[in-house]
Amino acid sequence: MKKAKSIAIMALAALLLGGCGQSPTKTSKKATTKTTQTKQKATGALAKLSAGRDLLYWTVYWDIDNPWKTIKKESSNIDAIGNFAALYDETNNNKLFLADGSKTLDKRMESNSQTKQIDRYMTVVNDTKTSDKSTDLVESLIGTKAKAQKHAKEIVALAKKNDFNGIEIDYEQIRDNTSLWKEFIVFEKYLYKLCKQDKLKLRIILEPSTPVSKISLPKGPEYVVMCYNLYGYGTEPGPKANYKFLKKTAKDFEKLGNVSYALSNGGFDFDGDTVISVTTSDINKLLKKYKKTPKRDSKSGTLYFTYGTHTVWYADNTTLLKWAQCLDKATGHQVGISVWRME
């Protein structure tokens, strides 16, 4: 997941045109999964996207006020929150800590009657205070069996201290480093053992480039596959995902079994070699300023428009629903969805 500005999301009714959930529970703050009937009766912007499926919403520590409003408003549609993030302090022997914003949001959720029943995951990322997505950091944390076990215990201890229901591991950019994947698998197996002992859920977030055909990820945890950034930084103009990409991703990861999928709305503003992430709010301002009417792309369900030398591609609420339905069709069942992010 890339750090981006806040993105707004409102799920609208839509049918999929030609394009193509799952978690164990801690001592039940709530039922593991809302029933389809309950969700179909729910109201709110996320009601249609969440109907019949598990829906997790990621928050970020640097922006909690607007997401907090959304969580309260959409509490009947949200099954879980991914509290982004726990990260590392390189000035203190890479000690794991929960960011202040994440702590604040977590306390708000626990103290509010509308949200305290929503499961909360502590999302652990391979970021430090000064660098993002460091595989050198991961190697230093899990490079030996002893280190891996020590690190797993550190993560579980922090999650328990803050009364989370589950843990998410979001270590990115490992890519084809199969030796590091082998070390990660040792770490993951021990972490899952600890989570089972303490009745914590475990989700492992995977990039679409993860070489699943070359490694043997263990059964047990939920695997969350990112379905975005097909186009973006460093690419030509295009959508974050299209139907072909979604279907291929579903096929590539089907062998893992317990798989859900992560979607992202908003988009990118392309101008030559310059690419800027844009939120729904940013896009609406551009449409109004330049008096543009976007067109919907039939191969991806996304919207696009141009202004000056710029081309903007983005996903709206209809797009998210189309993508989820594409994944449903590709997998043969209604899939769990994680949304990055909703404001």
Side-chain angles (χ1 to χ4, degrees):
M1 294 179 290
K2 305 298 180 187
K3 294 182 181 177
K5 296 181 182 178
S6 300
I7 303 174
I9 177 171
M10 294 184 355
L12 303 175
L15 295 175
L16 180 62
L17 302 176
C20 21
Q22 313 121 332
S23 290
T25 283
K26 189 179 179 179
T27 48
S28 187
K29 285 191 171 185
K30 60 177 277 183
T32 303
T33 307
K34 299 184 182 77
T35 65
T36 302
Q37 182 180 12
T38 300
K39 283 197 169 185
Q40 286 176 340
K41 290 181 179 178
T43 59
L46 293 177
K48 296 226 170 20
L49 183 62
S50 70
R53 71 175 83 245
D54 285 342
L55 182 69
L56 178 139
Y57 161 41
W58 277 302
T59 64
V60 292
Y61 63 84
W62 61 87
D63 177 22
I64 62 171
D65 290 335
N66 287 325
W68 172 233
K69 294 175 185 176
T70 300
I71 293 168
K72 288 189 293 182
K73 185 185 300 182
E74 301 287 344
S75 59
S76 64
N77 298 313
I78 297 172
D79 294 282
I81 299 294
N83 196 326
F84 190 97
L87 59 161
Y88 299 88
D89 184 356
E90 69 273 44
T91 66
N92 188 16
N93 296 316
N94 289 328
K95 182 177 176 60
L96 183 68
F97 70 98
L98 190 62
D100 289 342
S102 296
K103 289 181 181 178
T104 299
L105 180 63
D106 195 53
K107 289 177 181 177
R108 289 180 184 177
M109 288 192 64
E110 279 207 289
S111 62
N112 184 279
S113 60
Q114 293 175 270
T115 62
K116 66 181 180 181
Q117 300 301 315
I118 298 175
D119 284 339
R120 294 170 295 108
Y121 286 81
M122 181 180 77
T123 306
V124 185
V125 298
N126 53 327
D127 294 352
T128 70
K129 291 182 175 180
T130 59
S131 66
D132 295 343
K133 310 299 173 264
S134 170
T135 53
D136 289 339
L137 170 65
V138 176
E139 175 69 38
S140 72
L141 294 169
I142 65 171
T144 66
K145 183 177 180 179
K147 286 182 178 180
Q149 292 185 351
K150 178 182 178 182
H151 183 45
K153 290 176 182 177
E154 180 184 26
I155 291 173
V156 170
L158 186 60
K160 289 172 63 179
K161 178 181 177 181
N162 291 277
D163 195 31
F164 282 98
N165 303 94
I167 292 167
E168 287 186 323
I169 302 298
D170 179 28
Y171 291 164
E172 296 183 27
Q173 296 190 13
I174 300 178
R175 296 174 180 165
D176 276 328
N177 188 342
T178 52
S179 62
L180 184 52
W181 275 118
K182 289 178 182 178
E183 294 169 355
F184 181 87
I185 289 167
V186 172
F187 158 72
E188 180 188 345
K189 287 180 177 178
Y190 190 73
L191 178 61
Y192 182 60
K193 177 182 176 181
L194 296 182
C195 286
K196 286 185 68 177
Q197 291 174 358
D198 286 296
K199 296 182 172 60
L200 291 167
K201 304 175 186 180
L202 179 61
R203 288 164 45 105
I204 306 296
I205 300 171
L206 301 175
E207 295 177 284
S209 60
T210 303
V212 287
S213 63
K214 300 177 183 179
I215 60 178
S216 298
L217 292 168
K219 300 294 184 181
E222 176 184 355
Y223 291 98
V224 186
V225 183
M226 299 178 190
C227 291
Y228 45 85
N229 294 340
L230 178 62
Y231 293 89
Y233 298 114
T235 75
E236 62 185 16
K240 284 188 174 183
N242 59 31
Y243 298 136
K244 181 179 179 180
F245 166 71
L246 293 173
K247 288 186 282 188
K248 181 181 185 303
T249 300
K251 182 175 178 57
D252 288 345
F253 288 85
E254 64 183 354
K255 76 168 196 172
L256 295 181
N258 189 13
V259 180
S260 60
Y261 300 88
L263 305 177
S264 176
N265 66 350
F268 292 98
D269 183 327
F270 299 86
D271 183 23
D273 293 333
T274 302
V275 181
I276 300 172
S277 176
V278 285
T279 67
T280 298
S281 176
D282 296 330
I283 292 161
N284 288 336
K285 290 176 182 176
L286 289 171
L287 290 171
K288 183 177 180 179
K289 179 178 180 180
Y290 294 100
K291 297 181 174 58
K292 293 292 182 175
T293 300
K295 297 180 180 179
R296 193 172 298 278
D297 175 47
S298 62
K299 294 181 180 180
S300 66
T302 55
L303 293 163
Y304 64 96
F305 66 94
T306 61
Y307 69 96
T309 58
H310 297 244
T311 302
V312 179
W313 282 82
Y314 68 100
D316 68 352
N317 315 316
T318 298
T319 308
L320 293 179
L321 187 57
K322 285 177 176 288
W323 285 348
Q325 291 171 331
C326 178
L327 290 164
D328 292 344
K329 187 173 181 180
T331 61
H333 66 277
Q334 199 163 30
V335 300
I337 292 295
S338 300
V339 181
W340 175 259
R341 302 154 49 203
M342 295 197 304
E343 280 71 30

